[in-house]
Amino acid sequence: MSHPQTTLPGQRPGVRKYVVASLVGNALEWYDFFLYATASAIVFGRLFFPADTDPLVGTMAAFAGFAVGFAARPLGGIIFGHIGDKLGRKQSLVMTLTIMGISTMLMGLLPTYAQVGVWAPALLIVLRILQGIAAGGEWGGGVLIISENSGNSRRGMLAAFSQGGISLGFVLSSLAFFLVQLMPEPEFLAWGWRLPFLVSIVLLGVGAYIRLKLPESKEFTEVRESRPEHRVPALDAIRAHPREILIAMGLRVAENGGSYIFLSFSIVYGVHVGVDKGLLLLAVAVSMLVSFGAYIFFGYLSDRIGRRPVYAFGAVGMGVMAFPFFAMIDANTPAVVILAFLIANGVCHGAMIGTQPAFFHELFSAEVRYSGMAIAHEIAAVFAGGVAPMIATALLLNFNSSAPVSLYLIGMVLVTLIAVAAAGGRKKHDDQRQETGQPAETVS
C-alpha cells in the first residue's frame, strides 16, 4: 500500500523516496568500499602484504592497494557517467551496487599470503580495482537522484542526505570491525576478519531491491525529452565545462585527502603511539555517526548563506585542526581522542562534504552532469584520498612524527581554498535562477 507523502516548500512531489533510496543505497555501497580502508589499517598488512621489518611497511603496502582502488575510480566515473547520462541514473546505480557487493564478498573468501603466496595480494588488488570502478560511478548517481528531484531552495539540505549514506557506510564498516576484533586474536586473524566482507552479499540484495523499485530522475527524463542526446557525454562534459571540472577537483583535495587522514591513517598513527585500537575504531564510528546530522545542517546552511562560505569554513577549520588533531590522539585519553575525531570529521570535514553535492550539481548542465561530476570527483580522489594514507604513513615511517603529516594536510587545504575562491558566488546564481526560472546551465 502506498502512503501519502508530505510535500515541503521547494520540494517536488515524491522527493522523499529518492532521499531514502539514495541514503540506504549509498550506506550499503560505501560500507563495502570502506571495509578495505579499515582492514588495511588493522589486518591486511599482516595477512596479504607481510613485511619482516617494521609493521608500518606492511601497512603501507596495504594502503598502496587502497590507492590502486582509487586509481580505478575515474574509469568507473567515465563508464557509469556515460551510462547515467545516456540510459538513466537508475540503471547506473543498480550496476554499481552489484559490482561492489560481489567484489566485497569475494574479498572475504580470499586465501592469505601464507596459503597461496603472491596470488593473495594480486587477487586482492584485482577485487579492489573492481570496487574502485563501482565507487567511481556511485557517488554522482547517488547525489543526482536527490538533487535532480529537489527544488533550488532546499537542494543543499536534501542532497546532503546522499553524503549521509557515506557516513552511515563508514559507521557500519567501523562497527563491524570493532565487533569482530573483540574476538581472540588467533580466531580474528584466522577467520573473524572475513565476516564483515561476507555480510555484504545480504546487503547487496537489500540495496538492489530498493534501487530497482526507484523511478528515474525527473530532471533527467525532462532533459531527454527536450534536448538532443550526447553521443559521448564525458567528452562533451570536458569540452563544455573544463573550468568547472578543475574547480570541482580542487574542492575535493582537502575534503577527500583530509578525510582519509582523519579516518584511515589516524588509526595507524594511534596504534603507533600506543592508543588502544578499539578506542580508535569507536572514536571513528561515533564521529561519523554524529557527522550524519552535521552534513544535513551544513547543507541547509549552504541554502541560506551560499555554498562558498560554508565550504571555506570547513577547509579553514581543517587547516587549523591539522596539528591539534594528532596532539589530542597523543594524549591517549578516551574523551580527548573522541573529541578530536568529532571536530575533525563532524565540523571540518562535515562542512565541506555536506555542501559538496549541491555545489557540484550547480557547476554542470543537466545533460552531461553525471559525467562531469563523476570525472571531477573521481580524478581528484586518486591524488587526494587515494594516496593520502600511504603518503602519511611514509612520512610517519621516515620522520617518526606527526608534524610532516600536519603540514601535508595544510597544503591540501590551501589547494581547496584556491578552488573555493575560483568557484564564484554560487548563492548569487541560485537566487538568479529562482527569480528568472532559468535552468542552472543557462545562468552558469
Side-chain angles (χ1 to χ4, degrees):
M1 175 186 293
S2 61
H3 297 274
Q5 296 184 2
T6 303
T7 302
L8 301 173
Q11 280 186 314
R12 295 183 180 190
V15 70
R16 184 186 303 170
K17 61 176 172 285
Y18 294 97
V19 172
V20 172
S22 178
L23 179 63
V24 174
N26 272 359
L28 300 182
E29 179 134 7
W30 290 98
Y31 164 83
D32 289 349
F33 191 73
F34 286 135
L35 280 180
Y36 188 100
T38 306
S40 294
I42 296 173
V43 70
F44 277 172
R46 300 171 65 179
L47 296 182
F48 289 89
F49 303 93
D52 296 329
T53 55
D54 194 317
L56 285 177
V57 176
T59 300
M60 193 167 66
F63 277 143
F66 178 78
V68 168
F70 272 82
R73 287 175 61 166
L75 176 60
I78 293 172
I79 293 172
F80 292 105
H82 179 88
I83 293 171
D85 282 331
K86 295 275 285 188
L87 304 179
R89 308 342 186 180
K90 174 181 172 179
Q91 291 192 42
S92 179
L93 288 172
V94 171
M95 294 172 68
T96 60
L97 183 65
T98 302
I99 294 172
M100 180 71 80
I102 293 175
S103 300
T104 304
M105 179 200 68
L106 291 176
M107 283 184 178
L109 299 174
L110 284 179
T112 64
Y113 185 91
Q115 294 170 319
V116 297
V118 296
W119 281 105
L123 291 172
L124 182 64
I125 293 300
V126 169
L127 293 176
R128 181 59 180 175
I129 290 172
L130 291 176
Q131 277 193 330
I133 291 173
E138 166 67 23
W139 182 83
V143 167
L144 292 180
I145 61 171
I146 298 179
S147 66
E148 290 187 342
N149 290 283
S150 58
N152 294 331
S153 64
R154 302 191 65 164
R155 178 177 293 129
M157 185 192 73
L158 293 173
F161 276 95
S162 65
Q163 305 289 53
I166 299 175
S167 173
L168 293 180
F170 200 100
V171 169
L172 290 174
S173 67
S174 297
L175 285 178
F177 263 97
F178 173 73
L179 293 175
V180 296
Q181 65 91 35
L182 295 176
M183 301 170 59
E185 187 169 8
E187 285 81 359
F188 171 71
L189 293 176
W191 57 270
W193 68 268
R194 299 178 183 274
L195 296 179
F197 290 88
L198 297 176
V199 167
S200 66
I201 195 64
V202 178
L203 303 181
L204 167 61
V206 174
Y209 173 79
I210 291 173
R211 288 187 169 178
L212 285 170
K213 302 286 286 184
L214 185 70
E216 185 53 81
S217 159
K218 291 182 175 68
E219 190 170 341
F220 171 81
T221 303
E222 293 168 359
V223 167
R224 277 291 156 264
E225 292 173 351
S226 61
R227 301 180 193 177
E229 183 177 305
H230 289 254
R231 293 184 60 188
V232 186
L235 293 179
D236 291 327
I238 294 171
R239 282 195 292 261
H241 301 283
R243 180 175 179 271
E244 287 78 6
I245 288 175
L246 290 175
I247 288 173
M249 289 171 61
L251 293 173
R252 282 279 280 162
V253 171
E255 175 270 311
N256 192 239
S259 71
Y260 280 101
I261 286 180
F262 290 147
L263 297 174
S264 296
F265 169 75
S266 61
I267 298 175
V268 177
Y269 178 78
V271 171
H272 179 70
V273 298
V275 180
D276 180 69
K277 183 169 55 181
L279 170 61
L280 293 166
L281 290 174
L282 180 63
V284 169
V286 170
S287 69
M288 290 301 286
L289 188 61
V290 172
S291 293
F292 179 88
Y295 298 165
I296 310 305
F297 168 75
F298 285 117
Y300 166 82
L301 189 62
S302 76
D303 286 329
R304 305 278 73 82
I305 68 174
R307 317 298 181 208
R308 286 204 305 163
V310 179
Y311 211 98
F313 167 78
V316 171
M318 184 172 285
V320 170
M321 194 65 183
F323 281 93
F325 176 76
F326 294 107
M328 294 171 78
I329 292 179
D330 291 336
N332 200 3
T333 302
V336 175
V337 171
I338 292 174
L339 180 62
F341 282 90
L342 285 172
I343 297 173
N345 293 325
V347 179
C348 305
H349 180 244
M352 289 186 283
I353 200 170
T355 307
Q356 193 176 95
F359 207 157
F360 278 33
H361 173 108
E362 292 157 4
L363 290 173
F364 301 97
S365 54
E367 63 270 19
V368 294
R369 183 175 288 135
Y370 200 143
S371 295
M373 289 174 60
I375 290 170
H377 192 269
E378 305 312 332
I379 290 178
V382 176
F383 60 79
V387 299
M390 184 173 60
I391 291 175
T393 304
L395 291 171
L396 179 62
L397 183 64
N398 284 298
F399 296 98
N400 195 31
S401 169
S402 63
V405 181
S406 299
L407 294 174
Y408 170 51
L409 185 58
I410 291 172
M412 290 191 287
V413 166
L414 293 176
V415 173
T416 289
L417 289 175
I418 292 171
V420 172
R426 305 310 304 175
K427 184 64 167 65
K428 176 181 67 177
H429 297 325
D430 291 349
D431 294 341
Q432 187 177 349
R433 285 203 307 278
Q434 291 175 47
E435 291 170 2
T436 64
Q438 291 178 296
E441 57 272 22
T442 302
V443 176
S444 296

